[in-house]
Amino acid sequence: MTAPVAAPAAPSTRAISRPTRPAPGSAPRPAVRPDAPAPRRRASVPTRLRAATAVVLVLVAGLLAALVAGVSAARDNLHTIGSGTAPRAATATDLYYALADMDAQVANVLLIGHDEQIGNKQSALRQLRRDRAAVSAALQTLLDRGLDAAGEETARRMLADLAAYDALTAQARLADDQVLERPVARPPANATGFYLSATALMHQDLLPAADLLGRTAEHGLADSTDDGRSTARTAALAVLGLGIAAVLALLLLQIRLTRRFRRVFNPFLVAATVLITVLTGLGASLLFEHGDRVRDAKAEAFDPFSALARTRAVASDANADESRYLMLPERAEYYRGQFADKAALLGPMSADPGLAERLAAFRRDDEALVAAVNSGRRDTAVGMATNVGRGNLAFEFYDYQSVLDSTAQTHHDDFTDRIRQGRDALAGWGWAPPLVLGAGVLLVLAGVRPRLREYR
């Protein structure tokens, strides 16, 4: 059986499109590839102008932020140094001196005993009371200024040790007062025992603790100085970089406007460029100078003050060794060695001609004191050590201490003046950058706006 044959398909009625021929004389149409990317449309002149203006304004805003942040950090740094770390370090140094001098005055009181003709006991007692009040005030100031946990623990431990020291020295003085007749410069044995316990507590616990507080405070000052300088230099570099970028962007905008609109220069953009250039130079210079100022203030003013203040404490302790040498002849060799070690430390810190001359006089009188003791004139030696009269050891020591104190105070005043000058240099920089850069922004907008209006 034969399969039926399929009928042929009916012809399509859709017209077949034929390519049109180009008109005679016309250029042939280029062939378009189906995968070719669409041609990019170039941004219009107003769009490019707005974009360039936006770049300038962003850079100006960044410059303002860098200036405000840098000046604010510099102010905070000066406040930290001037009202925090530097006063704390100075107070700790005062504490160390007051403790050393307090122990020296106790030795002088016991050395003089009841014979006011030999030495000025009342003067020693007055100085002892002043030193004790200075110690309490310094410790309270340190606690009020916000010590860290370790520092606060050290200060509170010192308060307990001070109470013990006061009790021991009071017992030593009471034991001495109860013996009306005693040899010159020879307190009774129980008074000497109480004093030895007290001075051991001073040198083994109180003075090392005060030294620890002082060195910790000085490290804090050094950290504040280094941080301030580093932050100021970083801010100065940021200001310089953003300012230069803003000026270059303004110059490029000026060149574009000159070429596109056939203008020689735009006075508004020129004024804005000058304003931003001047502010960038002044701001970067200010911040660089701030970093150098705090570094120099510490190195050239505070460090010499601190060294001289410590020298004053060492000198007071050396003077106390002379009193202990007279009061405790059985320990004379030990105390002479202690004096020699401390006197050797005084030399390098007394390089100033005035200080060197007074230190030499003090050491000459110390040799005269030892000669008086060796010749059996102990009462004369006690008078030399405790009577503040011209030609005596006590007078030469007082003179040396006074010059040390005044020289140290000169350095401290110099440091304070430098910090004040730093604050004065920053005055006005809270409002000047926003005002100047705000004017610069308005000038930029005023310079660009007429060109944009040409396209409306």
Side-chain angles (χ1 to χ4, degrees):
M1 183 175 177
T2 305
V5 178
S12 173
T13 58
R14 182 181 299 173
I16 299 173
S17 59
R18 296 180 180 179
T20 57
R21 295 180 179 179
S26 63
R29 183 179 300 173
V32 179
R33 292 178 54 188
D35 58 345
R40 290 187 299 174
R41 295 183 60 186
R42 190 176 182 185
S44 64
V45 172
T47 300
R48 296 198 300 273
L49 189 55
R50 289 190 186 96
T53 304
V55 170
V56 171
L57 297 182
V58 168
L59 290 172
V60 170
L63 175 61
L64 174 61
L67 274 171
V68 170
V71 170
S72 177
R75 280 204 187 94
D76 291 344
N77 179 242
L78 285 176
H79 178 75
T80 299
I81 292 174
S83 302
T85 53
R88 191 180 301 130
T91 301
T93 303
D94 291 341
L95 171 64
Y96 190 89
Y97 165 73
L99 286 168
D101 196 60
M102 186 169 70
D103 198 52
Q105 298 308 323
V106 173
N108 287 337
V109 169
L110 294 175
L111 182 64
I112 296 169
H114 311 298
D115 194 344
E116 292 285 350
Q117 300 299 320
I118 293 179
N120 195 336
K121 183 176 181 178
Q122 295 306 313
S123 175
L125 286 171
R126 284 194 299 271
Q127 185 60 41
L128 175 60
R129 287 192 292 270
R130 283 194 291 267
D131 287 337
R132 185 61 182 85
V135 168
S136 296
L139 277 173
Q140 189 60 53
T141 300
L142 288 172
L143 288 169
D144 291 342
R145 288 188 181 277
L147 296 172
D148 58 17
E152 186 171 341
E153 181 183 354
T154 300
R156 297 197 183 282
R157 188 171 62 249
M158 287 184 69
L159 289 172
D161 289 339
L162 271 171
Y165 180 86
D166 290 340
L168 289 169
T169 55
Q171 288 174 303
R173 289 169 54 194
L174 178 61
D176 185 47
D177 289 341
Q178 289 174 344
V179 180
L180 298 180
E181 299 292 335
R182 66 172 175 85
V184 173
R186 292 295 292 164
N190 55 347
T192 301
F194 284 128
Y195 176 68
L196 285 174
S197 297
T199 195
L201 178 62
M202 176 65 73
H203 287 84
Q204 294 172 13
D205 294 326
L206 284 166
L207 285 176
D211 183 61
L212 176 62
L213 287 177
R215 295 194 184 280
T216 301
E218 288 178 9
H219 289 158
L221 175 59
D223 290 342
S224 298
T225 303
D226 292 342
D227 290 346
R229 185 166 185 263
S230 176
T231 301
R233 290 180 67 84
T234 301
L237 291 173
V239 166
L240 200 58
L242 288 166
I244 291 173
V247 169
L248 290 176
L250 277 168
L251 292 175
L252 290 174
L253 180 59
Q254 176 73 51
I255 293 171
R256 178 169 293 180
L257 290 178
T258 300
R259 290 179 177 176
R260 183 69 182 80
F261 296 96
R262 303 291 191 268
R263 302 297 200 276
V264 176
F265 64 87
N266 187 311
F268 294 106
L269 294 183
V270 170
T273 304
V274 171
L275 277 180
I276 293 172
T277 300
V278 171
L279 187 66
T280 297
L282 292 177
S285 176
L286 173 77
L287 293 171
F288 276 125
E289 287 176 0
H290 169 78
D292 293 340
R293 181 179 287 112
V294 295
R295 177 200 60 192
D296 294 343
K298 179 184 179 298
E300 298 174 4
F302 193 90
D303 287 351
F305 155 74
S306 179
L308 287 170
R310 285 180 178 276
T311 301
R312 190 170 174 231
V314 172
S316 186
D317 202 28
N319 181 238
D321 284 328
E322 292 173 312
S323 296
R324 290 186 278 261
Y325 158 73
L326 292 173
M327 188 171 60
L328 301 164
E330 63 277 9
R331 298 168 64 93
E333 184 177 351
Y334 170 77
Y335 286 121
R336 288 310 297 168
Q338 288 291 302
F339 176 83
D341 291 343
K342 291 163 190 172
L345 296 175
L346 299 178
M349 289 310 303
S350 303
D352 178 82
L355 281 172
E357 179 182 350
R358 286 164 173 82
L359 177 60
F362 171 52
R363 300 193 71 168
R364 281 197 304 270
D365 281 3
D366 172 74
E367 292 173 359
L369 178 142
V370 174
V373 171
N374 292 336
S375 63
R377 295 179 292 120
R378 184 171 292 273
D379 55 346
T380 300
V382 172
M384 294 171 60
T386 60
N387 225 329
V388 184
R390 186 171 293 278
N392 285 339
L393 171 70
F395 176 84
E396 301 299 347
F397 173 72
Y398 175 78
D399 193 27
Y400 174 60
Q401 281 279 57
S402 298
V403 177
L404 267 176
D405 187 39
S406 62
T407 307
Q409 188 61 45
T410 299
H411 285 295
H412 189 271
D413 292 342
D414 182 28
F415 175 78
T416 303
D417 287 342
R418 292 181 187 226
I419 296 300
R420 179 185 52 77
Q421 290 168 9
R423 291 194 183 102
D424 292 343
L426 295 173
W429 281 87
W431 54 267
L435 183 64
V436 173
L437 293 179
V441 168
L442 293 177
L443 288 171
V444 171
L445 296 177
V448 173
R449 187 169 179 270
R451 305 289 78 82
L452 291 174
R453 290 179 62 183
E454 296 179 12
Y455 286 87
R456 289 186 179 177

